[in-house]
Amino acid sequence: MASTATMTTATASTRTPATFQPTPRIAISLRLSRSDDASTSLDVQLRACHDSIRAAGFDPETAEVFVDNGVSGATPLADREGMSGLMEYQPTHVWAWKLDRYSRSVREFLHLVEWAETPGKRVILATADGSLNTGTPGGRLIALILVALAEWERQMMTERILAAHKERREQGRWISGFAPFPYKTVREHPKAPAYLDADSAMVPLVIKAVGVLLAEGGNLSNSSENLPIGRQQWRKLLMGVTLRGWRKHKGALVVQDDGVTPVQFAPEVLDTVTYARVQAKLKELARPETNVPRADTPFLGGFVVCVKCSGSFNGGSSDRKKQLYKCASGCGAIMANVVEPLVFAEFRERFGLEHVMRAVHTGGIDNSAALSDLEASRQRIVKAIALVDGPALEDLAAKLTDTKATIERLTAEHNPEVTVTYEPTRTRLFEVWDGATKEARRSLLAERGLRVTISPARKGLPSAGRAKIEWGMPPREKKKPTRPTTVAERRMLAAAADTAA
């Protein structure tokens, strides 16, 4: 009897899988890249692992679960919170649903195998689908082969996605994300490809804003006032190619198969000529002398000067937080609500009934915008010729010849000399003044050569009497006023001013 019991125990011991230890510490590794795939959800993975652990003769309830949710299979193991916790747990057995749940990178999986094969530790890696069991040499070899195939599949998937995106760009389709301003995405039906179309509510605002920008006194600030985007976004939109209906990918213009013609992603908002004028205006505004004044610049900043030191009156605030103009050299100050109404009233009285003049351009052929586009096209053709051979090379060579001929013809016709004459309109100047912005009013004052000279405050002299308004004065040179440093210098300047008066 004892011998039989001994034999039975030995037989049972022989049948016990050599891969598993008598007192295991079991861990389950779950990983999910996207939460919208129900077939690979965390619950599906966990149930499969429990079934596999139970089939191996262990209690799945004793297993510790480590989760990496929203983590790509190419992510390094050290950057995965769940996997890092699993390694610190020091298990004897690790289960995953499938091999690619461990990693889709051969290098990272090798790191995992090296960690599992550390002398004195020996962690067995297994999968619920039975494709992996590193408890045997053959199992480790198969694991490395399978993970190499998983990485190959991931690389092929990436290449397929990039190829699909490239094809969609060449077709003028909108791949993903919000449509750029002022466009919208349209589809024939919910599952149809998306394309860009002009937003009928936004495009008129853009066209009007461009008109304000190109008008006299126009800048990025006053032209973007009625747009739903900020000044910096407006500048970026104007500098790019979006309003031509084109797109750039990785800094390069997206072109058709010929490597030359831009793909038309959306209707054109700005034509070639208007786009060229906008680029010229942006360059002009980028120069320091045409920078937009700061928002806190006083209305008459640059027009008000001091009779004593001939310096400018800058903006400031009184002790009661009311705006005033004060001499940069400290000679005095005057309240803004005193001098500004005087200037406005005199402007309306002197110039308000004048007719607004309209510029009429006659003669001249300006092909600069078309020539700029043709030159860019010629450069793209030259680059494409260096990359092709055979019939495609002949087609590009013919296109290059045609482009050069067109450039030569337009260059010969190019004669931008234009005669500008002005004719009166029915609009009166006071109507323009009443509806103008701050910067537009400043431009009107500058055109008429405004200068306001402020005298020092004296007893018996009303504040309004300190301001002398003059028109038709030449623009003042911008120079930093010399500040008197001593009492003697101040007295000398005051005496000179009194003598001149």
Side-chain angles (χ1 to χ4, degrees), residues 35-51:
S35 59
D36 58 351
D37 190 353
S39 63
T40 62
S41 68
L42 296 175
D43 290 338
V44 170
Q45 297 181 38
L46 184 60
R47 285 196 299 270
C49 290
H50 279 181
D51 293 341

Side-chain angles (χ1 to χ4, degrees), residues 146-221:
L146 291 177
V147 82
L149 290 174
E151 183 177 19
W152 172 81
E153 180 186 8
R154 180 176 62 85
Q155 292 176 348
M156 292 299 295
M157 188 185 306
T158 301
E159 291 181 5
R160 288 195 297 269
I161 291 173
L162 293 177
H165 285 182
K166 181 181 178 182
E167 181 181 1
R168 291 169 186 168
R169 282 193 297 270
E170 292 175 351
Q171 294 172 353
R173 291 166 55 181
W174 185 249
I175 299 175
S176 63
F178 294 104
F181 180 81
Y183 298 104
K184 62 181 179 180
T185 53
V186 293
R187 300 174 185 266
E188 293 183 359
H189 53 83
K191 294 186 178 180
Y195 292 88
L196 293 180
D197 194 10
D199 190 330
S200 58
M202 295 294 107
V203 169
L205 296 180
V206 172
I207 295 175
K208 184 177 180 179
V210 170
V212 174
L213 176 72
L214 296 178
E216 188 173 357
N219 53 58
L220 292 171
S221 296

Side-chain angles (χ1 to χ4, degrees), residues 29 31 68 71-81 83-84 86-87 99-117 125 132 134 143-144 146-148 150-151 154-155:
S29 177
R31 184 183 63 79
D68 285 313
V71 178
S72 168
T75 305
L77 300 180
D79 296 339
R80 291 167 51 178
E81 183 179 354
M83 184 58 72
S84 299
L86 184 149
M87 291 179 171
L99 181 63
D100 60 1
R101 298 300 96 184
Y102 284 118
S103 179
R104 283 184 177 269
S105 166
V106 171
R107 182 177 62 182
E108 294 303 319
F109 186 75
L110 285 176
H111 290 166
L112 182 63
V113 172
E114 290 175 1
W115 167 81
E117 297 291 333
L125 305 176
L132 174 66
T134 61
L144 295 179
L146 291 177
V147 82
E151 183 177 19
R154 180 176 62 85
Q155 292 176 348

Side-chain angles (χ1 to χ4, degrees), residues 23-30 45-54 56-67 86 89 91-96:
T23 56
R25 288 168 57 88
I26 301 174
I28 298 176
S29 177
L30 307 179
Q45 297 181 38
L46 184 60
R47 285 196 299 270
C49 290
H50 279 181
D51 293 341
S52 179
I53 293 171
R54 190 178 295 108
F58 301 112
D59 183 6
E61 300 300 326
T62 63
E64 290 288 335
V65 180
F66 299 89
V67 180
L86 184 149
Y89 179 64
T92 58
H93 298 72
V94 180
W95 255 272

Side-chain angles (χ1 to χ4, degrees), residues 13 39 42 54-55 82 238 307 351 360 407 452:
S13 175
S39 63
L42 296 175
R54 190 178 295 108
L238 293 173
V307 72
F351 309 107
V360 179
I407 291 176
V452 183

Side-chain angles (χ1 to χ4, degrees), residues 364-375:
I365 301 176
D366 188 1
N367 293 329
S368 55
L371 288 171
S372 177
D373 274 2
L374 286 170
E375 178 59 25

